[in-house]
Amino acid sequence: MDNNKMIITISREFGSGGRELGKRLSDTLGIPCYDKEIIALISKENGFDENYVAHMSETERA
């Protein structure tokens, strides 16, 4: 890969296999894969509860 930043977002439903797809894709492309770790990181860096951040990440915004 080149030095450009790459973000791939995979929207999924429970039981769809999206987590496995994301992990395999990250392995193939040689890039990190974040799942629940990103929620924990955002929570810690901003002083929010993990449940709040998880809920807000799933909330549709206008």
Side-chain angles (χ1 to χ4, degrees):
M1 301 249 69
D2 57 18
N3 289 332
N4 292 329
K5 303 273 183 185
M6 182 183 303
I7 298 174
I8 299 172
T9 303
I10 300 172
S11 180
R12 62 183 196 259
E13 292 185 21
F14 183 77
S16 67
R19 182 174 295 157
E20 179 64 23
L21 172 69
K23 180 65 179 131
R24 287 183 184 193
L25 183 61
S26 75
D27 290 344
T28 299
L29 296 176
I31 58 176
C33 179
Y34 301 100
D35 189 22
K36 293 181 181 178
E37 299 89 354
I38 198 75
I39 299 293
L41 180 64
I42 291 168
S43 300
K44 183 177 181 179
E45 287 184 356
N46 294 285
F48 294 123
D49 179 75
E50 285 187 31
N51 292 324
Y52 173 76
V53 174
H55 173 73
M56 292 306 293
S57 73
E58 299 293 330
T59 302
E60 192 172 319
R61 293 174 192 85

